Amino acid sequence: MRTSIGVIAVLVTGGIGGCASFGAKPWERDLMAEQAMQLDPYPLETAIDNHIYFSKEASSGGRSFAGGGCGCN
Amino acid sequence: MQLKSRTAQPGLGLRRALATAAAGLLAHGEARAQEAPSTIIDSAVLVYHEVGRVQAIEPEVNVTQKIDEDRTLTAGFTADALTGPTPFGAVPSTLAQTYVRPYKIVPLGTPVSVTTPSGGATIVIIPPPTGAKTQVLGASTTVPPNTYPLDHGFHDERVAGNLGWEQALTPTFNIDGGVAYSEEHDYRSESIHVGLSQDFNAHNTTLNAGLNYESDLSFPIGGTPTPLTLMSANWKGPDASLHEVDAVLGVTQVMTRRWLTSLSYSFSDLHGYQSDPYKLISVVDALSGQPTAQLYENRPDSRRKQSLFLENKIHLTSDIVTVGLRGYSDDWGIKSFTADLRYRLQMGADYYVEPHVRYYQQGAADFFHYYLVSGEAMPQYASADTRLAAFHAQTYGAKFGVRLDDNTELNVRVEYYDQHGNGSPTGAIGQLRQQDLFPDLKAYTVLLGFTIGF
């Protein structure tokens, strides 16, 4: 168990360190600040879609918890 | 169902930093730069239309209030009304079939008129046992020959609300949490969630983690049926509960000035009543394929779900491409794959059109059966709900949006959903060979959205 935690810790910290080679400089962040470039720019729309698909398909999950909480499936 | 997207908001710190950076850039470079609004009201109305089946209308509003630079409060409210035919789960037949389900309990002697409670079902009086002080009314539906059995008595209304809180504890570390409540006339759900996010690499990398606990109570009309017993109008068992724990872990990375990528793993563990109390599974004759009995379905009490979701957003010259891919599996034997593509075509500063396509396919649950065969061993679990069958589905749509000013947007989206399964399974028996055991599901949605900030 300790070994597993150690391996995960190394992977996570190594991964984060590896991510340092990517990215945008502070003066390059104009596009990322646009609303449409946010991960979930229209959360109500996302929630409604999750509701529809949860009630018609067997899958759920993704970035959020949305999808549960109804007797529709 | 909570209609709040209980998103474990990855990159809150990232977004705040980016917005601040952009605001700084704009303040130096453009005259139109201004403070972000402290109050945002986000609203939407969904009109949902399944061809020949369920219709729904669903208004929704969400208010986000910035308390100060570090704290934000959100509150949301949703209501919806659904009506229209929904599948019983039973197979069609060359003969007419009659289905009777519980409808209402009334004091003995209450005058009852034989009417149609909703769209074609007829109220029938179930003879009460000797000495009873109440009596049960049933809703009877007669399905014509060679017709997929649909329950025309389906009607539901739902209200849901949620409250959320987000707080930046340091410039790179955020915490958020919230509660949600949802109530239908036969189902209630309560949940609580908490999330954390930490930025690294000068806000280019965000790790996030979230935990959600949900407690549901099912109180079906007519009570909770005993699994795999005969359909009847008799009042049945007590309420049934379901408990769910969900966890999500994610990483979001700014790859370049134009490219954002996000990877999330989610896990859910459910325990409790997960059958659909209204769904049936037919037992058919081994030679003729004619239904000889209709049983209530039975799903396992536990379910573990996992999914991996990858999303990439790329900002082209002015347009934005979003590609989402999701793999899913659970211990009911269901595996699925989803691909989602959006292309936001920016037309000048204030207008955009966003075509959208989505492809989805899933394999069947281990206990999915189109029907059971008389004389064969009864399985422990069985469901004929086609939502647990193998199928694939496509969504096609487009959204049109207009920015009325810096903080106000109006948009409308129209989509078409088409679900195909195998309606003629190999080995179908007798008359079932000439029936469609999985009719296509086609649905149209119109979504009107309006957001204003001040």
Side-chain angles (χ1 to χ4, degrees):
Chain A
M1 184 65 184
R2 269 189 185 171
T3 310
S4 303
I5 292 171
V7 169
I8 290 170
V10 167
L11 286 175
V12 169
T13 52
I16 292 168
C19 290
S21 57
F22 300 107
K25 302 297 183 191
W27 56 87
E28 295 179 320
R29 289 175 175 164
D30 53 334
L31 302 180
M32 289 292 162
E34 289 181 14
Q35 188 210 353
M37 274 302 281
Q38 306 313 302
L39 283 177
D40 192 8
Y42 298 96
L44 280 191
E45 189 178 321
T46 304
I48 285 169
D49 286 346
N50 284 339
H51 185 199
I52 293 171
Y53 292 127
F54 178 77
S55 68
K56 297 296 158 194
E57 299 171 348
S59 308
S60 60
R63 190 188 305 118
S64 73
F65 304 127
C70 78
C72 52
N73 197 356
Chain B
M1 153 83 198
Q2 286 82 9
L3 273 194
K4 174 176 183 273
S5 177
R6 287 171 291 155
T7 309
Q9 299 277 352
L12 281 175
L14 175 67
R15 284 207 295 276
R16 183 174 289 113
L18 292 173
T20 305
L25 288 171
L26 291 170
H28 288 95
E30 290 186 35
R32 69 185 301 174
Q34 58 176 243
E35 284 281 308
S38 58
T39 304
I40 297 172
I41 299 175
D42 199 4
S43 61
V45 177
L46 170 75
V47 178
Y48 178 82
H49 172 86
E50 283 178 10
V51 177
R53 298 199 196 165
V54 171
Q55 321 295 315
I57 186 161
E58 184 172 307
E60 181 171 0
V61 64
N62 202 61
V63 179
T64 303
Q65 178 65 49
K66 197 171 165 183
I67 308 295
D68 56 31
E69 275 307 304
D70 296 328
R71 292 176 295 174
T72 304
L73 180 67
T74 58
F77 176 77
T78 300
D80 66 22
L82 295 87
T83 186
T86 186
F88 276 113
V91 295
S93 164
T94 51
L95 308 172
Q97 303 184 76
T98 298
Y99 298 83
V100 184
R101 58 175 172 76
Y103 174 60
K104 192 183 282 185
I105 293 180
V106 296
L108 195 60
T110 304
V112 176
S113 58
V114 177
T115 58
T116 55
S118 178
T122 303
I123 293 177
V124 294
I125 300 166
I126 310 302
T130 307
K133 292 180 179 170
T134 60
Q135 74 177 106
V136 173
L137 305 181
S140 172
T141 302
T142 298
V143 177
N146 303 311
T147 303
Y148 192 66
L150 298 172
D151 182 353
H152 289 259
F154 176 67
H155 177 76
D156 203 359
E157 289 169 352
R158 181 177 62 93
V159 291
N162 60 77
L163 280 174
W165 179 265
E166 297 172 7
Q167 180 149 10
L169 297 180
T170 75
T172 60
F173 182 63
N174 279 6
I175 184 166
D176 68 272
V179 293
Y181 180 83
S182 167
E183 178 136 6
E184 300 160 58
H185 73 296
D186 58 359
Y187 204 85
R188 184 165 63 236
S189 172
E190 297 159 314
S191 67
I192 182 166
H193 67 276
V194 63
L196 306 170
S197 75
Q198 173 72 55
D199 291 354
F200 300 92
N201 301 332
H203 299 294
N204 281 307
T205 307
T206 303
L207 289 182
N208 69 282
L211 203 58
N212 180 63
Y213 172 73
E214 181 174 315
S215 176
D216 294 0
L217 189 66
S218 171
F219 34 95
I221 300 168
T224 306
T226 303
L228 301 177
T229 59
L230 285 169
M231 173 191 67
S232 79
N234 297 331
W235 223 256
K236 303 180 179 68
D239 303 347
S241 61
L242 172 65
H243 302 279
E244 175 173 352
V245 176
D246 311 285
V248 63
L249 281 172
V251 58
T252 302
Q253 175 69 39
V254 178
M255 302 297 286
T256 69
R257 176 174 173 244
R258 297 181 177 277
W259 177 17
L260 183 69
T261 189
S262 174
L263 181 69
S264 298
Y265 167 78
S266 65
F267 175 83
S268 296
D269 190 20
L270 294 86
H271 288 277
Y273 185 73
Q274 296 177 70
S275 297
D276 184 325
Y278 306 117
K279 284 282 188 274
L280 306 171
I281 183 166
S282 302
V283 179
V284 304
D285 181 80
L287 291 175
S288 69
Q290 292 291 359
T292 57
Q294 308 291 356
L295 309 181
Y296 290 105
E297 69 160 35
N298 188 25
R299 305 182 190 190
D301 285 343
S302 75
R303 187 180 189 186
R304 286 188 170 179
K305 309 194 275 191
Q306 298 184 83
S307 75
L308 196 60
F309 176 67
L310 173 67
E311 186 171 69
N312 280 283
K313 296 184 78 111
I314 298 173
H315 199 300
L316 306 175
T317 311
S318 61
D319 304 341
I320 295 173
V321 181
T322 305
V323 182
L325 300 171
R326 182 184 68 179
Y328 166 93
S329 72
D330 64 31
D331 63 357
W332 285 4
I334 296 167
K335 288 183 168 53
S336 76
F337 172 74
T338 312
D340 192 286
L341 173 66
R342 294 166 200 268
Y343 188 96
R344 179 175 166 124
L345 179 65
Q346 195 68 37
M347 300 184 299
D350 296 331
Y351 297 89
Y352 69 89
V353 173
E354 187 177 72
H356 171 220
V357 292
R358 176 183 184 269
Y359 175 78
Y360 173 81
Q361 72 169 49
Q362 73 174 41
D366 296 335
F367 53 88
F368 173 80
H369 304 274
Y370 286 94
Y371 49 82
L372 300 174
V373 180
S374 180
E376 293 187 356
M378 182 70 69
Q380 184 180 7
Y381 303 110
S383 173
D385 187 341
T386 54
R387 294 174 297 185
L388 299 175
F391 66 78
H392 61 95
Q394 295 88 35
T395 303
Y396 306 98
K399 182 178 173 186
F400 174 72
V402 54
R403 193 171 70 159
L404 303 174
D405 63 38
D406 281 345
N407 297 317
T408 310
E409 179 178 322
L410 180 66
N411 56 60
V412 61
R413 192 189 76 176
V414 179
E415 290 199 328
Y416 171 67
Y417 176 77
D418 196 354
Q419 189 182 93
H420 300 271
N422 182 5
S424 304
T426 308
I429 298 170
Q431 64 95 20
L432 295 172
R433 286 196 287 268
Q434 68 187 69
Q435 306 290 354
D436 184 356
L437 302 184
F438 192 146
D440 287 352
L441 172 68
K442 300 177 192 302
Y444 296 89
T445 61
V446 177
L447 182 62
L448 185 66
F450 180 70
T451 302
I452 185 166
F454 45 86

